[in-house]
Amino acid sequence: MSFAVEFWAYMRARKKFWLLPLLLVLLLFGGLIILAKGSVVAPFIYTIF
């Protein structure tokens, strides 16, 4: 949790708020990969791409 606090402080201090959507998209794709690794949902996720 301290990473999130430090990252937010960095973005506020350096005015780099464009990093937040980039980080969110990376987390979303990572979640999709983890979800698709061995579940029944995998064929449906692969059709999205």
Side-chain angles (χ1 to χ4, degrees):
M1 194 65 177
S2 66
F3 172 75
V5 173
E6 286 183 32
F7 190 68
W8 179 251
Y10 170 78
M11 285 193 315
R12 272 193 14 211
R14 304 275 194 284
K15 306 274 192 269
K16 298 202 182 269
F17 293 110
W18 56 270
L19 287 172
L20 188 60
L22 183 70
L23 183 68
L24 291 176
V25 167
L26 287 174
L27 288 174
L28 178 71
F29 280 137
L32 278 175
I33 289 171
I34 290 172
L35 182 67
K37 192 163 187 156
S39 69
V40 181
V41 186
F44 300 109
I45 292 175
Y46 290 133
T47 59
I48 293 173
F49 301 106

Coordinates of all heavy atoms in Angstrom, one line a residue:
M1 N 0.8 -1.2 0.0 CA 0.0 0.0 0.0 C 0.9 1.3 0.0 O 0.4 2.3 -0.5 CB -0.9 0.0 1.2 CG -2.0 0.9 1.1 SD -3.1 0.5 -0.2 CE -4.3 1.8 0.0
S2 N 2.1 1.1 0.5 CA 2.9 2.3 0.6 C 3.4 2.7 -0.8 O 3.6 3.9 -1.1 CB 4.1 2.1 1.5 OG 5.0 1.1 0.9
F3 N 3.4 1.8 -1.7 CA 3.8 2.1 -3.1 C 2.7 3.1 -3.7 O 3.1 4.0 -4.4 CB 3.9 0.8 -4.0 CG 4.0 1.1 -5.4 CD1 5.3 1.6 -5.9 CD2 3.0 1.0 -6.3 CE1 5.4 1.9 -7.3 CE2 3.1 1.3 -7.7 CZ 4.4 1.7 -8.1
A4 N 1.5 2.8 -3.5 CA 0.4 3.6 -4.0 C 0.5 5.0 -3.4 O 0.3 6.0 -4.2 CB -1.0 3.0 -3.7
V5 N 0.8 5.1 -2.2 CA 0.9 6.5 -1.5 C 2.1 7.2 -2.1 O 2.0 8.4 -2.4 CB 1.0 6.3 0.0 CG1 1.2 7.6 0.7 CG2 -0.3 5.7 0.6
E6 N 3.2 6.5 -2.2 CA 4.4 7.2 -2.7 C 4.2 7.6 -4.2 O 4.7 8.6 -4.6 CB 5.6 6.3 -2.6 CG 6.1 6.2 -1.1 CD 7.3 5.4 -1.0 OE1 8.1 5.4 -2.0 OE2 7.5 4.7 0.0
F7 N 3.6 6.7 -4.9 CA 3.3 7.0 -6.4 C 2.4 8.2 -6.5 O 2.6 9.1 -7.4 CB 2.7 5.8 -7.0 CG 2.7 5.9 -8.5 CD1 3.8 5.9 -9.3 CD2 1.4 6.0 -9.2 CE1 3.8 6.0 -10.7 CE2 1.4 6.1 -10.5 CZ 2.5 6.1 -11.3
W8 N 1.4 8.3 -5.7 CA 0.5 9.4 -5.7 C 1.2 10.7 -5.3 O 1.0 11.8 -5.9 CB -0.7 9.2 -4.8 CG -1.7 10.4 -4.8 CD1 -1.9 11.3 -3.8 CD2 -2.5 10.8 -5.9 NE1 -2.8 12.2 -4.2 CE2 -3.2 12.0 -5.5 CE3 -2.7 10.4 -7.2 CZ2 -4.1 12.6 -6.3 CZ3 -3.6 11.0 -8.0 CH2 -4.3 12.2 -7.6
A9 N 2.0 10.7 -4.3 CA 2.8 11.8 -3.9 C 3.8 12.3 -5.0 O 4.0 13.5 -5.3 CB 3.6 11.5 -2.6
Y10 N 4.4 11.3 -5.7 CA 5.3 11.6 -6.8 C 4.5 12.3 -7.9 O 4.9 13.3 -8.5 CB 5.9 10.3 -7.4 CG 6.6 10.5 -8.7 CD1 7.9 11.1 -8.7 CD2 6.1 10.1 -9.9 CE1 8.6 11.3 -9.8 CE2 6.8 10.3 -11.0 CZ 8.0 10.9 -11.0 OH 8.7 11.1 -12.2
M11 N 3.3 11.8 -8.3 CA 2.5 12.4 -9.4 C 2.1 13.8 -9.0 O 2.0 14.7 -9.8 CB 1.3 11.5 -9.7 CG 1.6 10.3 -10.5 SD 0.2 9.4 -11.1 CE -0.9 9.4 -9.8
R12 N 1.7 14.0 -7.7 CA 1.3 15.4 -7.3 C 2.4 16.3 -7.3 O 2.3 17.5 -7.8 CB 0.7 15.3 -5.9 CG -0.8 15.0 -5.9 CD -1.4 15.3 -4.6 NE -0.7 16.0 -3.6 CZ -0.8 15.9 -2.3 NH1 -1.6 14.9 -1.8 NH2 -0.1 16.6 -1.5
A13 N 3.6 15.9 -6.9 CA 4.8 16.8 -6.8 C 5.3 17.2 -8.2 O 5.7 18.3 -8.4 CB 5.9 16.2 -6.0
R14 N 5.3 16.2 -9.1 CA 5.9 16.4 -10.4 C 4.9 16.8 -11.5 O 5.2 16.9 -12.6 CB 6.6 15.1 -10.9 CG 7.7 14.7 -9.9 CD 9.0 15.4 -10.2 NE 10.1 14.7 -9.5 CZ 10.4 14.8 -8.2 NH1 9.6 15.4 -7.4 NH2 11.5 14.2 -7.8
K15 N 3.6 16.8 -11.1 CA 2.5 17.1 -12.0 C 2.5 16.1 -13.2 O 2.3 16.5 -14.4 CB 2.6 18.6 -12.6 CG 2.7 19.6 -11.5 CD 1.3 20.0 -11.1 CE 1.3 21.3 -10.2 NZ 1.5 21.0 -8.8
K16 N 2.6 14.9 -12.9 CA 2.6 13.8 -13.9 C 1.4 13.0 -13.8 O 1.4 11.8 -13.6 CB 3.9 13.0 -13.8 CG 5.1 13.8 -14.1 CD 6.2 12.9 -14.5 CE 7.5 13.7 -14.7 NZ 7.7 14.2 -16.0
F17 N 0.2 13.6 -13.9 CA -1.1 12.9 -13.7 C -1.4 12.0 -14.9 O -2.3 11.2 -14.9 CB -2.2 13.9 -13.5 CG -2.1 14.6 -12.2 CD1 -1.7 15.9 -12.2 CD2 -2.2 13.9 -11.0 CE1 -1.6 16.6 -11.0 CE2 -2.1 14.6 -9.8 CZ -1.8 15.9 -9.8
W18 N -0.7 12.1 -16.0 CA -0.9 11.3 -17.2 C -0.4 9.9 -16.9 O -0.8 8.9 -17.7 CB -0.2 11.8 -18.4 CG 1.3 12.0 -18.2 CD1 1.9 13.2 -17.8 CD2 2.3 11.1 -18.5 NE1 3.3 13.0 -17.7 CE2 3.5 11.7 -18.2 CE3 2.3 9.8 -18.9 CZ2 4.7 11.0 -18.3 CZ3 3.5 9.1 -19.0 CH2 4.7 9.7 -18.7
L19 N 0.3 9.6 -15.9 CA 0.8 8.3 -15.5 C -0.3 7.4 -14.9 O -0.3 6.2 -15.0 CB 1.9 8.4 -14.5 CG 3.3 8.8 -15.0 CD1 4.2 9.0 -13.9 CD2 3.8 7.8 -16.0
L20 N -1.3 8.1 -14.4 CA -2.4 7.3 -13.7 C -3.2 6.5 -14.7 O -3.4 5.3 -14.5 CB -3.3 8.2 -12.9 CG -4.4 7.6 -12.1 CD1 -3.7 6.7 -11.0 CD2 -5.2 8.6 -11.4
P21 N -3.7 7.0 -15.8 CA -4.4 6.1 -16.8 C -3.5 5.0 -17.4 O -4.0 3.9 -17.6 CB -4.8 7.1 -17.9 CG -4.8 8.4 -17.3 CD -3.7 8.4 -16.3
L22 N -2.2 5.3 -17.5 CA -1.3 4.3 -18.0 C -1.2 3.2 -17.0 O -1.2 2.0 -17.4 CB 0.0 5.0 -18.3 CG 1.1 4.1 -18.9 CD1 0.8 3.8 -20.3 CD2 2.5 4.8 -18.8
L23 N -1.1 3.5 -15.8 CA -1.0 2.5 -14.7 C -2.2 1.7 -14.6 O -2.2 0.4 -14.5 CB -0.6 3.1 -13.4 CG -0.4 2.1 -12.3 CD1 0.9 1.3 -12.5 CD2 -0.3 2.9 -11.0
L24 N -3.4 2.3 -14.7 CA -4.7 1.6 -14.7 C -4.8 0.6 -15.8 O -5.3 -0.5 -15.6 CB -5.8 2.6 -14.6 CG -5.9 3.4 -13.3 CD1 -7.0 4.4 -13.4 CD2 -6.1 2.5 -12.1
V25 N -4.5 1.0 -17.0 CA -4.6 0.1 -18.2 C -3.6 -1.1 -18.0 O -4.0 -2.2 -18.3 CB -4.3 0.9 -19.5 CG1 -4.1 0.0 -20.6 CG2 -5.4 1.9 -19.8
L26 N -2.4 -0.8 -17.5 CA -1.5 -2.0 -17.3 C -2.1 -2.9 -16.2 O -2.0 -4.1 -16.4 CB -0.2 -1.4 -16.8 CG 0.7 -0.8 -17.9 CD1 1.9 -0.2 -17.3 CD2 1.0 -1.8 -19.0
L27 N -2.7 -2.4 -15.2 CA -3.3 -3.2 -14.2 C -4.5 -4.0 -14.7 O -4.7 -5.2 -14.4 CB -3.7 -2.4 -13.0 CG -2.6 -1.9 -12.1 CD1 -3.1 -1.0 -11.0 CD2 -1.8 -3.0 -11.4
L28 N -5.3 -3.4 -15.6 CA -6.4 -4.1 -16.2 C -5.9 -5.2 -17.1 O -6.5 -6.3 -17.0 CB -7.2 -3.1 -17.0 CG -8.4 -3.6 -17.8 CD1 -9.5 -4.0 -16.8 CD2 -8.9 -2.6 -18.8
F29 N -4.9 -5.0 -17.9 CA -4.4 -6.1 -18.7 C -3.8 -7.2 -17.9 O -3.9 -8.4 -18.2 CB -3.4 -5.5 -19.8 CG -4.0 -4.9 -20.9 CD1 -3.6 -3.7 -21.4 CD2 -5.1 -5.5 -21.6 CE1 -4.1 -3.1 -22.5 CE2 -5.7 -4.9 -22.7 CZ -5.2 -3.7 -23.1
G30 N -3.1 -6.8 -16.8 CA -2.6 -7.8 -16.0 C -3.6 -8.7 -15.3 O -3.5 -9.9 -15.2
G31 N -4.7 -8.0 -14.9 CA -5.8 -8.8 -14.3 C -6.5 -9.7 -15.3 O -6.9 -10.8 -15.0
L32 N -6.6 -9.3 -16.6 CA -7.2 -10.1 -17.6 C -6.3 -11.3 -17.9 O -6.8 -12.4 -18.1 CB -7.3 -9.3 -18.9 CG -8.6 -8.5 -19.0 CD1 -8.6 -7.7 -20.3 CD2 -9.8 -9.3 -19.0
I33 N -5.0 -11.1 -17.9 CA -4.1 -12.3 -18.1 C -4.2 -13.3 -17.0 O -4.2 -14.5 -17.2 CB -2.6 -11.7 -18.3 CG1 -2.5 -11.0 -19.6 CG2 -1.6 -12.9 -18.2 CD1 -1.2 -10.3 -19.8
I34 N -4.2 -12.8 -15.7 CA -4.4 -13.7 -14.6 C -5.7 -14.4 -14.6 O -5.8 -15.6 -14.4 CB -4.2 -12.9 -13.3 CG1 -2.8 -12.5 -13.1 CG2 -4.6 -13.7 -12.1 CD1 -2.5 -11.5 -12.0
L35 N -6.8 -13.7 -15.0 CA -8.1 -14.3 -15.1 C -8.1 -15.4 -16.2 O -8.8 -16.4 -16.0 CB -9.2 -13.2 -15.3 CG -10.6 -13.7 -15.4 CD1 -11.0 -14.2 -14.0 CD2 -11.5 -12.6 -15.8
A36 N -7.5 -15.1 -17.3 CA -7.5 -16.0 -18.4 C -6.6 -17.2 -18.3 O -6.6 -18.1 -19.2 CB -7.3 -15.2 -19.7
K37 N -5.7 -17.2 -17.4 CA -4.7 -18.2 -17.3 C -5.3 -19.6 -17.2 O -4.8 -20.5 -17.9 CB -3.8 -17.9 -16.1 CG -2.5 -18.7 -16.2 CD -1.5 -18.2 -15.3 CE -0.2 -19.0 -15.5 NZ 1.0 -18.2 -15.2
G38 N -6.2 -19.8 -16.4 CA -6.7 -21.2 -16.2 C -8.2 -21.3 -15.8 O -8.6 -22.1 -15.1
S39 N -9.0 -20.4 -16.4 CA -10.4 -20.4 -16.0 C -11.3 -20.7 -17.2 O -10.8 -20.8 -18.4 CB -10.8 -19.0 -15.5 OG -10.8 -18.1 -16.5
V40 N -12.5 -20.8 -17.0 CA -13.5 -21.1 -18.0 C -13.8 -19.9 -18.9 O -14.2 -19.9 -20.0 CB -14.8 -21.6 -17.4 CG1 -15.9 -21.9 -18.4 CG2 -14.6 -22.7 -16.5
V41 N -13.4 -18.7 -18.4 CA -13.6 -17.4 -19.0 C -12.6 -17.2 -20.1 O -12.8 -16.3 -21.0 CB -13.6 -16.3 -18.0 CG1 -14.0 -15.0 -18.6 CG2 -14.5 -16.6 -16.9
A42 N -11.5 -18.0 -20.2 CA -10.4 -17.7 -21.1 C -10.8 -17.6 -22.5 O -10.4 -16.7 -23.2 CB -9.4 -18.8 -20.9
P43 N -11.6 -18.6 -23.1 CA -12.0 -18.4 -24.5 C -12.8 -17.1 -24.8 O -12.6 -16.6 -25.9 CB -12.9 -19.6 -24.8 CG -12.6 -20.6 -23.7 CD -12.2 -19.8 -22.5
F44 N -13.5 -16.6 -23.9 CA -14.2 -15.4 -24.1 C -13.3 -14.2 -24.1 O -13.5 -13.2 -24.8 CB -15.4 -15.2 -23.1 CG -16.4 -16.3 -23.2 CD1 -16.4 -17.3 -22.1 CD2 -17.2 -16.5 -24.3 CE1 -17.4 -18.3 -22.2 CE2 -18.1 -17.5 -24.3 CZ -18.2 -18.4 -23.3
I45 N -12.3 -14.2 -23.3 CA -11.4 -13.1 -23.2 C -10.5 -13.1 -24.5 O -10.2 -12.1 -25.0 CB -10.5 -13.2 -21.9 CG1 -11.4 -13.0 -20.7 CG2 -9.3 -12.2 -22.0 CD1 -10.7 -13.1 -19.4
Y46 N -10.1 -14.3 -25.0 CA -9.3 -14.3 -26.2 C -10.0 -13.8 -27.4 O -9.4 -13.3 -28.3 CB -8.8 -15.8 -26.4 CG -7.8 -16.2 -25.4 CD1 -7.9 -17.5 -24.8 CD2 -6.7 -15.4 -25.0 CE1 -7.0 -17.9 -23.9 CE2 -5.8 -15.8 -24.1 CZ -5.9 -17.1 -23.5 OH -5.0 -17.5 -22.6
T47 N -11.4 -13.9 -27.4 CA -12.1 -13.4 -28.6 C -12.1 -11.8 -28.6 O -12.4 -11.2 -29.6 CB -13.5 -13.9 -28.6 OG1 -14.2 -13.5 -27.4 CG2 -13.6 -15.4 -28.7
I48 N -11.9 -11.2 -27.4 CA -11.8 -9.7 -27.4 C -10.6 -9.2 -28.2 O -10.7 -8.2 -28.9 CB -11.7 -9.3 -25.9 CG1 -13.0 -9.6 -25.2 CG2 -11.4 -7.8 -25.9 CD1 -12.9 -9.3 -23.7
F49 N -9.5 -10.0 -28.1 CA -8.3 -9.5 -28.8 C -8.2 -10.3 -30.2 O -7.4 -10.1 -31.0 CB -7.1 -9.8 -28.0 CG -7.1 -9.1 -26.7 CD1 -7.4 -9.8 -25.5 CD2 -7.0 -7.7 -26.6 CE1 -7.5 -9.1 -24.3 CE2 -7.0 -7.0 -25.4 CZ -7.3 -7.7 -24.3

